[in-house]
């Protein structure tokens, strides 16, 4: 845990620093918002920022956002300064810690930040074998490619590889390649020199340098532009990077883990991903099964999230009822672990009584999941019935029936029918002439409807 404390280190903040260090945090101090930003630009990253409300918390939060530093901020101040606490939360601070510092409160905040990124719960045999493989290869420096559907836990597995590796005490730095505009991603990864481009008002150390000695996670790497992939390949091969606007290569010592929710081999065939980069990244491939293929994980994760969100919301920890567990086991969870987490969070908030019942398992709009599942099953059944109706027919038969049905819908208007079918009026007329020659009854325009 890397903690940056922003403010003048007078008695109470000094005590907070000491408590955080005793809890295992690596603490950096900055006296002002600008000094904190300079520290971050220099590559001394942070997992959490604690800012004195005597400073401008809003300026800090907005500056972090403007410079794409994704770091949560908690405010701290004397416990009787209610107005400052409210203003800090409105400015974007995640929490408010009253001073003098309470060791348990600071410990809880640090643990919450750590837990958000490191909780990995699994019981399914497929995940047990996958985690064993991840642990086995963690000791090496080999690049790792983690694949799986969105929300299946790719970043969690990447963090586990880092924590089981000799680099565990060094930084773990994550970059979401899909969330950063193409024109900014190069600077985000490799950094830039002052004046390198419009808006580059100061030198910025990139994620490669920030992660030096540790692990760099390139999340959803399939979204990276092909031109930038060439520079990434060089960085991986030669272990040097070039800052944007820089004059000399900068050596880096990192392990790279990449994730993708797409099959990169398919992207190579489409020309959107470099084959040589795929080979460089795919030394080891860890493929996470979707949650629907890990039934034993559903209930284990559900119990974990129920406990987590009860603590966060100040509720008593309640077990899932037998009916609720059965309902969860029936779900498909297309959004994987992320969807399950949101489902359980809602259930914790909606449940009444000593257990979390099946009636608390609801969709985001408040509908019981059984109703949603019934509607989905009915839609699937309808689709299957439609598909079965085509069995035994030729493609020409299906095409003719579709044209005639569309003409019926447009009351015989050829132009409207052609627009709906996505063909030209000439093509439609040729088809109708063909059907007429073959002896089929072509639907005529209805009364009052022009043929064209």
């Amino acid at each position: 845990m890397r903690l940056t404390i922003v403010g003048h280190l007078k008695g109470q903040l000094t005590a907070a620093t000491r408590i955080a260090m005793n809890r295992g945090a690596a603490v950096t101090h900055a006296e002002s918002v600008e000094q904190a930003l300079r520290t971050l630009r220099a590559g001394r990253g942070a997992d959490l920022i604690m800012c004195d409300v005597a400073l401008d918390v809003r300026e800090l939060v907005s500056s972090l956002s403007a410079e794409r530093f994704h770091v949560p901020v908690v405010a701290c101040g004397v416990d009787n300064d209610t107005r400052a606490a409210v203003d800090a939360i409105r400015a974007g601070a995640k929490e408010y810690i009253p001073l003098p510092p309470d060791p348990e409160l600071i410990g809880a905040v640090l643990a919450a930040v750590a837990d958000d990124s490191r909780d990995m719960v699994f019981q399914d045999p497929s995940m047990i074998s996958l985690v064993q493989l991840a642990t086995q290869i963690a000791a090496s420096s080999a690049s790792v490619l983690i694949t799986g559907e969105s929300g299946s836990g790719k970043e969690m597995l990447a963090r586990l590889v880092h924590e089981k590796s000799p680099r565990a005490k060094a930084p773990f730095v994550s970059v979401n390649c899909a969330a950063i505009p193409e024109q900014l991603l190069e600077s985000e990864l490799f950094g830039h020199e002052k004046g390198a481009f419009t808006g580059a008002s100061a030198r910025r150390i990139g994620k490669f340098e920030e992660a030096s000695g540790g692990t760099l996670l390139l999340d959803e790497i399939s979204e990276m532009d092909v031109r930038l992939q060439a520079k990434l390949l060089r960085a991986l091969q030669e272990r040097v990077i070039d800052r944007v606007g820089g004059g000399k290569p900068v050596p880096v010592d990192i392990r790279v883990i990449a994730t993708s929710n797409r099959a990169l081999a398919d992207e190579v065939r489409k020309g959107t991903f470099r084959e040589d980069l795929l080979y460089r990244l795919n030394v080891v491939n860890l493929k996470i099964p979707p949650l629907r293929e890990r039934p034993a994980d559903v209930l284990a994760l559900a119990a974990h999230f129920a406990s987590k969100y009860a603590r966060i919301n100040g509720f008593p920890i309640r077990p899932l009822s037998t009916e609720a567990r059965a309902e969860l086991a029936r779900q498909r969870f297309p959004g994987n672990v992320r969807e399950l987490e949101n489902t359980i969070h809602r259930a914790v908030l909606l449940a009444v009584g000593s257990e979390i019942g099946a009636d608390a398992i609801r969709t985001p709009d408040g509908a019981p999941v059984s109703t949603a599942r019934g509607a989905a099953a009915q839609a699937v059944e309808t689709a299957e019935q439609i598909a079965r109706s085509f069995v035994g027919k030729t493609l020409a038969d299906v095409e003719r029936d579709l044209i005639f049905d569309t003409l019926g819908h447009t009351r015989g208007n050829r132009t409207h029918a052609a627009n709906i079918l996505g063909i030209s009026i000439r093509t439609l007329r040729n088809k109708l002439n063909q059907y007429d020659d073959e002896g089929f009854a072509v639907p005529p325009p209805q009364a009052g409807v022009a043929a064209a």
Side-chain angles (χ1 to χ4, degrees):
M1 165 63 69
R2 299 170 297 170
L3 172 65
T4 295
I5 294 182
V6 187
H8 299 290
L9 277 183
K10 297 176 181 176
Q12 294 169 352
L13 274 182
T14 301
T17 301
R18 190 177 302 112
I19 292 168
M21 293 177 69
N22 289 339
R23 299 281 176 148
V27 180
T28 300
H29 172 242
E31 290 194 353
S32 66
V33 169
E34 180 53 38
Q35 186 178 350
L37 293 170
R38 285 200 300 269
T39 299
L40 292 172
R41 292 185 197 117
R44 299 179 65 180
D47 299 306
L48 178 68
I49 294 176
M50 186 183 298
C51 182
D52 188 342
V53 291
L55 301 178
D56 192 335
V57 177
R58 187 177 300 279
E59 179 191 357
L60 173 62
V61 172
S62 62
S63 296
L64 291 172
S65 176
E67 299 196 34
R68 305 181 308 283
F69 291 115
H70 305 292
V71 187
V73 174
V74 296
C76 56
V78 293
D79 55 6
N80 61 356
D81 195 348
T82 306
R83 171 56 67 86
V86 172
D87 289 346
I89 296 297
R90 287 176 175 170
K94 302 296 184 185
E95 298 285 350
Y96 178 79
I97 298 177
L99 300 176
D102 179 343
E104 293 306 315
L105 181 56
I106 289 181
V109 171
L110 295 177
V113 173
D115 287 347
D116 277 349
S117 59
R118 294 176 188 168
D119 283 337
M120 189 159 186
V121 177
F122 56 93
Q123 286 186 1
D124 196 84
S126 63
M127 283 300 292
I128 291 173
S129 60
L130 181 66
V131 169
Q132 287 174 342
L133 175 60
T135 303
Q136 182 179 344
I137 60 93
S140 73
S141 295
S143 298
V144 179
L145 177 63
I146 302 177
T147 54
E149 294 180 3
S150 294
S152 58
K154 298 188 290 295
E155 183 171 350
M156 295 289 186
L157 189 60
R159 288 184 180 276
L160 183 141
V161 171
H162 171 71
E163 289 161 10
K164 298 293 184 181
S165 76
R167 299 173 179 266
K169 294 187 182 301
F172 177 91
V173 177
S174 175
V175 181
N176 188 332
C177 300
I180 301 171
E182 175 189 332
Q183 63 271 25
L184 298 178
L185 185 55
E186 181 178 3
S187 169
E188 189 77 10
L189 290 173
F190 304 124
H192 61 254
E193 297 292 347
K194 180 178 180 179
F197 51 84
T198 302
S201 57
R203 169 188 278 188
R204 166 83 178 266
I205 297 301
K207 298 302 184 183
F208 266 84
E209 289 180 80
E210 183 182 331
S212 195
T215 302
L216 176 64
L217 172 63
L218 299 176
D219 198 18
E220 302 303 352
I221 195 170
S222 58
E223 304 300 323
M224 183 181 292
D225 183 76
V226 173
R227 291 169 294 181
L228 187 53
Q229 291 174 26
K231 296 184 178 181
L232 174 60
L233 179 63
R234 175 176 179 264
L236 295 177
Q237 289 175 333
E238 302 180 17
R239 299 293 166 177
V240 296
I241 57 102
D242 295 307
R243 296 193 196 113
V244 178
K248 61 179 182 179
V250 179
V252 290
D253 169 28
I254 59 169
R255 182 202 205 145
V256 170
I257 301 177
T259 73
S260 177
N261 60 8
R262 301 184 190 178
L264 290 184
D266 292 342
E267 300 304 309
V268 169
R269 284 191 287 273
K270 287 192 264 182
T272 59
F273 201 83
R274 292 180 63 107
E275 186 174 24
D276 47 5
L277 178 57
L278 174 58
Y279 291 143
R280 176 63 62 174
L281 291 170
N282 197 21
V283 177
V284 179
N285 181 206
L286 301 175
K287 185 176 182 179
I288 302 183
L291 188 57
R292 60 185 172 274
E293 296 177 9
R294 298 150 44 189
D297 282 353
V298 173
L299 296 183
L301 285 163
H304 166 72
F305 291 136
S307 176
K308 172 182 176 179
Y309 286 108
R311 289 195 304 269
I312 288 175
N313 291 285
F315 294 170
I317 296 176
R318 294 168 291 179
L320 291 155
S321 70
T322 302
E323 294 79 9
R325 292 198 299 271
E327 187 64 67
L328 290 170
R330 286 192 288 267
Q331 297 302 304
R332 297 286 291 169
F333 294 112
N336 291 294
V337 178
R338 191 176 296 127
E339 181 182 353
L340 173 62
E341 181 174 6
N342 290 340
T343 299
I344 299 302
H345 192 175
R346 276 194 303 276
V348 168
L349 300 177
L350 296 174
V352 294
S354 59
E355 290 185 318
I356 298 174
D359 57 340
I361 310 297
R362 293 179 172 266
T363 62
D365 61 4
V369 292
S370 56
T371 302
R373 187 174 62 252
Q378 184 177 0
V380 170
E381 183 179 354
T382 301
E384 290 175 347
Q385 290 173 348
I386 293 172
R388 283 195 296 270
S389 71
F390 293 143
V391 175
K393 293 185 175 182
T394 66
L395 185 60
D397 292 337
V398 173
E399 181 186 55
R400 184 180 62 253
D401 289 347
L402 178 60
I403 289 175
F404 286 175
D405 287 346
T406 305
L407 280 171
H409 175 73
T410 63
R411 301 175 64 199
N413 186 299
R414 272 59 171 159
T415 302
H416 291 174
N419 289 336
I420 292 172
L421 293 166
I423 59 178
S424 69
I425 185 65
R426 174 177 293 182
T427 299
L428 177 60
R429 285 173 177 158
N430 289 339
K431 290 285 184 183
L432 295 179
N433 290 334
Q434 173 190 335
Y435 300 150
D436 187 59
D437 292 342
E438 292 172 353
F440 293 100
V442 176
Q446 296 182 18
V449 176

